[in-house]
């Protein structure tokens, strides 16, 4: 398998890097400290086509491939992991499912504006009593005589929730058989009966706001069902197969930023009469960090290449997400160690990377869930 980027992909990567270094990086520490939603950066992401990277140009998207998406998310996340996940959710968990499962009307009216950055989307699967075991959700959709649905329930930890214009809501629509069935609904946030909590206070990714959303008899017309009625779980799982590639790329960006800073610091800072970089203990840490990052990059690109080939990539996305997220935590941990006390205080960015890395092991399926996905894919062949 060829992982060398094409000329177009290299150009896109350079564009993303220039943008991230010039326009995001100088603000990243302030965004983290103030937990401010980066309105102006999201606007620039839209102008660059980064909010709908895989959406065809007919709808106003950038019409790019998954490899380009990975390269761009890594660059953006190396500057600011919050911005990386804002972008990732709109691309992978909102535009992608609408592109794959949406009706022509949904594509015209909602996907197009979301890809152009005119509206922001989010993804509502998790509930207070149902996280990893998402099928046990309590949110329900009840079919009405006129063909519309009344949706009631709540969804928590919704990234982009406080700023979003639309949300994909997954709800139980049939409990009659042995298997509970779910449906995906496209809901505008100004629908009567839809409310939101204040934003969550979190350990990291402070500028990527999340919240709880509440639906009280929200009327959803039949035209806003995404995919087929009772087939919504497939929509959710297919979205996460793509989303996990984005989170793996976010983890890569965080790790690379921590690594680069640790290497620069190790060359500068002296102990016992020589730079830290000349101490073998530090050299070993740097070697391990680099190998970890390179391995995660290959797994992530592997999953992206398969996605571009239209091949099922559930296994490879889970492998990439599992390894890259745990790698980011390991690398950020070592980077902070190399900085010593200066790593622990917030004068340098490594403590931000250390906090930001942690979430990648949790959202879009925890590491334990990735292991379950991998095992179930492998063992079903035994
Ligand atoms: C900042 C943030 C943003 C998020 N954004 C979104 C979003 O945009 N949309 C959305 O729908 N959700 C979102 N989530 C939710 C996220 O996907 C869930 O938190 C995650 O899936 C885990 O669910 P849970 O928190 O309920 O933990 P639980 O499912 O309660 O799990 C608790 C622990 O038990 C482990 N565990 C559970 N089941 C098993 C098992 N079978 N075997 C082994 N271990 C197991 C888990 O791995 C975990 O360690 C977000 C979460 C956070 C914190």
């Amino acid at each position: 398998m060829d992982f060398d980027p094409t000329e177009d992909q290299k150009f896109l990567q350079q564009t993303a890097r220039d943008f991230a270094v010039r326009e995001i990086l100088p603000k990243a520490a302030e965004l983290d400290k103030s937990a401010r939603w980066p309105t102006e950066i999201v606007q620039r992401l839209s102008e660059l086509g980064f909010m709908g990277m895989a959406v065809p140009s007919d709808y106003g998207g950038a019409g790019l491939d998954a490899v380009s998406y990975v390269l761009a998310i890594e660059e953006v996340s190396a500057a600011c992991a919050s911005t990386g996940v804002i972008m990732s959710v709109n691309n992978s968990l909102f535009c992608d499912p609408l592109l794959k499962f949406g009706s022509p009307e949904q594509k015209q009216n909602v996907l197009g504006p979301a890809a152009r950055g005119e509206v922001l989307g989010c993804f509502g699967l998790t509930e207070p009593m149902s996280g990893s075991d998402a099928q046990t959700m309590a949110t329900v959709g009840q079919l009405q005589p006129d063909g519309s649905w009344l949706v009631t329930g709540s969804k928590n930890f919704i990234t982009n929730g406080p700023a979003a214009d639309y949300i994909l809501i997954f709800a139980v629509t049939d409990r009659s058989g042995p298997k509970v069935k779910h449906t995906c609904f496209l809901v505008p946030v100004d629908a009567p009966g839809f409310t939101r909590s204040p934003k969550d206070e979190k350990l990291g990714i402070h500028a990527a706001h999340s919240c709880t959303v509440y639906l009280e008899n929200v009327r959803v017309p039949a035209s806003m069902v995404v995919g087929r009625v009772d087939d919504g779980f497939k929509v959710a799982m297919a979205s996460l197969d793509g989303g996990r590639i984005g989170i793996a790329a976010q983890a890569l960006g965080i790790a690379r930023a921590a690594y680069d800073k640790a290497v620069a610091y190790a060359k500068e800072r002296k102990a016992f009469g020589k730079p830290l970089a000349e101490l073998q203990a530090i050299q070993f840490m740097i070697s391990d960090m680099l190998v970890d990052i390179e391995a995660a990059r290959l797994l992530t690109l592997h999953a992206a290449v398969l996605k571009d080939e239209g091949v099922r990539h559930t296994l490879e996305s889970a492998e990439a997400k599992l390894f890259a997220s745990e790698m980011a935590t390991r690398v950020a941990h070592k980077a902070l160690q190399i900085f010593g006390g200066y790593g622990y205080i917030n004068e340098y960015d490594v403590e931000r990377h250390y906090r930001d890395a942690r979430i990648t092991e949790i959202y879009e399926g925890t590491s334990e869930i990735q292991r379950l996905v991998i095992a179930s894919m492998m063992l079903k062949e035994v």
Side-chain angles (χ1 to χ4, degrees):
M1 194 173 264
D2 184 8
F3 294 129
D4 284 339
T6 62
E7 287 309 309
D8 284 350
Q9 288 163 346
K10 277 189 211 159
F11 179 76
L12 179 280
Q13 183 181 39
Q14 194 57 49
T15 304
R17 187 170 298 167
D18 291 345
F19 162 66
V21 169
R22 275 197 222 124
E23 300 185 45
I24 306 179
L25 189 58
K27 294 181 175 175
E30 176 265 314
L31 288 171
D32 174 59
K33 212 173 248 181
S34 64
R36 176 176 71 79
W37 176 261
T39 308
E40 75 286 13
I41 294 176
V42 176
Q43 175 60 35
R44 288 287 293 130
L45 289 171
S46 307
E47 289 163 13
L48 288 165
F50 284 7
M51 293 303 269
M53 290 190 73
V55 177
S57 50
D58 298 356
Y59 295 111
L64 293 168
D65 53 17
V67 169
S68 301
Y69 175 58
V70 162
L71 298 175
I73 291 265
E74 178 183 336
E75 296 306 325
V76 167
S77 302
C80 170
S82 296
T83 307
V85 73
I86 292 169
M87 181 180 153
S88 175
V89 166
N90 198 67
N91 274 279
S92 296
L93 298 186
F94 191 72
C95 290
D96 254 18
L98 284 180
L99 185 61
K100 211 175 286 164
F101 299 99
S103 67
E105 189 192 359
Q106 290 164 1
K107 287 182 184 166
Q108 206 58 50
N109 297 339
V110 183
L111 174 62
R116 297 192 293 272
E118 293 158 15
V119 297
L120 184 72
C122 60
F123 180 87
L125 181 65
T126 304
E127 298 184 0
M129 299 308 288
S130 142
S132 302
D133 190 5
Q135 298 216 40
T136 59
M137 67 181 71
T139 298
V140 288
Q142 285 175 311
L143 185 60
Q144 302 303 296
D146 66 356
S148 68
W149 296 80
L150 281 185
V151 182
T152 294
S154 65
K155 300 283 174 182
N156 64 341
F157 302 141
I158 305 305
T159 303
N160 291 355
D165 301 284
Y166 287 92
I167 182 166
L168 293 176
I169 289 284
F170 297 87
V172 173
T173 42
D174 185 1
R175 282 193 203 279
S176 62
K179 248 188 129 189
V180 174
K181 292 179 181 157
H182 312 81
T183 299
C184 176
F185 298 99
L186 175 57
V187 180
V189 301
D190 58 3
F194 186 94
T195 51
R196 297 180 260 203
S197 73
K199 73 178 172 66
D200 301 324
E201 302 292 326
K202 316 193 285 304
L203 175 71
I205 53 161
H206 286 162
H209 295 176
S210 60
C211 70
T212 302
V213 305
Y214 307 93
L215 298 97
E216 185 68 47
N217 285 323
V218 172
R219 187 170 291 276
V220 184
S223 62
M224 296 294 251
V225 168
V226 179
R228 286 202 298 270
V229 169
D230 291 343
D231 219 8
F233 212 68
K234 192 169 120 195
V235 178
M237 292 304 112
S239 308
L240 290 172
D241 281 349
R244 286 168 184 164
I245 301 176
I247 300 307
Q250 184 201 23
L252 260 178
I254 297 168
R256 198 190 81 202
Y259 168 82
D260 286 347
K261 282 167 193 155
V263 169
Y265 189 78
K267 287 181 183 165
E268 242 174 50
R269 174 81 174 173
K270 290 201 169 74
F272 298 93
K274 52 186 174 185
L276 295 178
E278 289 181 25
L279 300 171
Q280 200 180 46
I282 302 291
Q283 290 173 355
F284 280 13
M285 278 200 262
I286 286 171
S287 301
D288 289 346
M289 289 158 84
L290 184 63
V291 174
D292 244 358
I293 292 170
E294 292 298 325
R297 182 172 290 118
L298 289 175
L299 282 172
T300 308
L301 287 172
H302 184 207
V305 167
L306 292 179
K307 185 168 190 277
D308 284 334
E309 288 173 353
V311 176
R312 186 168 180 199
H313 50 91
T314 304
L315 172 66
E316 291 77 8
S317 293
E319 288 172 349
K321 204 267 188 187
L322 171 63
F323 188 80
S325 60
E326 294 193 345
M327 174 283 294
T329 299
R330 281 194 298 273
V331 167
H333 179 100
K334 290 193 177 92
L336 196 152
Q337 195 68 16
I338 290 173
F339 270 80
Y342 296 95
Y344 194 74
I345 61 165
N346 65 11
E347 185 180 340
Y348 294 90
D349 272 342
V350 276
E351 62 88 32
R352 169 166 64 88
H353 300 316
Y354 181 78
R355 286 183 287 106
D356 287 348
R358 199 63 183 82
I359 187 58
T360 64
E361 291 183 65
I362 293 168
Y363 52 25
E364 301 202 24
T366 61
S367 289
E368 291 72 31
I369 294 306
Q370 305 313 317
R371 289 186 169 89
L372 284 182
V373 170
I374 294 164
S376 73
M377 296 291 292
M378 298 320 294
L379 297 175
K380 77 178 173 196
E381 288 161 16
V382 175

